[in-house]
Amino acid sequence: MRIIIVDDEMLARGVVREYLSEHADVEIVAECANGFEAVKAITELSPDLVFLDIQMPKLDGFEVAELAGSKTRYIFATAFDQYAIKAFEFHALDYLLKPFSQQRFDQALAHARTNLGAGGEAVEKMVREASGRSRPLGRVLIRDGAKVHVINADKIESIEAQDDYVQIHSEGKSYLKNQSMTELEGQLDAEQFLRIHRSYIVNIAHVARIEQATKDSYAAILKDGSKLPISRTGYQKIKTVMQ
């Protein structure tokens, strides 16, 4: 069993390493001190199991799980028991409350061995559902190979549907995220973001004005000069907000 240990505290990583030394069938393939390192390691090394701390700087454990996807499985560890329910929403194999004993650790590892074969599609679905429950999103995470872009929601100007992806426009740059338009719309603040067209979501704070494009259609002009089409339904919604 190939394992990655993720915790921002060196001593905590040491405890997991020591407990794993009692098990001859495991191999520690990486140790990570923050969420960015973890996403990169999980993506490149495809471990069977990750011992993942929840409270970390930059990216927390749940954000790591969202970005790293469903190919691996997780045992979450934290000193705070209020995260337990959310951990299992992410289909964690187990949840370790710090400080934990060797006996409790061994139970979690045994449980992991028994359940590693569960279907990846179900895991991915649960990860996405759980990430949606913490809405509205304060920031959007985008994985670009081994890199991770973190975009504050208020810096997003508009979002455009691109087949199975969404293209997020922010501060003169564009980012592709593998997520459906409807799913992302449900995670954003409905008072800040408005779907003005089946292919476009706009941040109301970045709209400069509404213009009539043709006799029967309108367009939203953003503060950076971008011009986005507005559907009839979208026009009714944005007209109410912009009044």
Side-chain angles (χ1 to χ4, degrees), residues 54-55 62 78-87 95 97:
I54 292 176
Q55 283 201 311
F62 298 124
T78 182
F80 302 93
D81 60 2
Q82 69 263 34
Y83 295 114
I85 293 175
K86 188 171 182 180
Y95 176 90
L97 187 61

Side-chain angles (χ1 to χ4, degrees), residues 198-216:
R198 64 188 178 89
S199 298
Y200 292 94
I201 294 172
V202 70
N203 184 339
I204 297 163
H206 289 273
V207 177
R209 63 187 184 278
I210 305 300
E211 286 186 353
Q212 190 161 0
T214 67
K215 181 182 177 182
D216 300 314

Side-chain angles (χ1 to χ4, degrees), residues 54 109 147 152-153 193 227 235 238:
I54 292 176
L109 192 59
K147 289 176 61 179
N152 288 333
F193 291 90
K227 188 174 183 179
Y235 177 67
I238 200 167

Side-chain angles (χ1 to χ4, degrees), residues 219-236:
I221 310 301
L222 305 192
K223 292 177 180 177
D224 67 356
S226 301
K227 188 174 183 179
L228 305 180
I230 304 176
S231 68
R232 289 183 180 180
T233 304
Y235 177 67
Q236 296 302 321

Side-chain angles (χ1 to χ4, degrees), residues 3 13-26 51 75 94 96-111 113:
I3 290 176
R13 295 197 302 275
V15 168
V16 175
R17 193 187 320 117
E18 178 185 342
Y19 287 172
L20 284 171
S21 69
E22 299 294 319
H23 300 269
D25 65 333
V26 304
F51 284 90
I75 293 178
D94 214 322
L96 293 170
L97 187 61
K98 299 178 182 178
F100 45 84
S101 66
Q102 175 85 55
Q103 181 183 16
R104 177 68 187 91
F105 181 89
D106 290 350
Q107 288 174 349
L109 192 59
H111 184 220
R113 283 195 186 94

Side-chain angles (χ1 to χ4, degrees), residues 58-59 63-64 66-67 139-143 148-151 177 179:
K58 299 179 181 177
L59 295 177
E63 291 172 327
V64 169
E66 178 187 353
L67 286 164
R139 57 186 189 173
V140 175
L141 308 175
I142 302 167
R143 195 175 78 188
V148 176
H149 301 287
V150 180
I151 305 172
K177 181 175 174 65
Q179 188 174 15

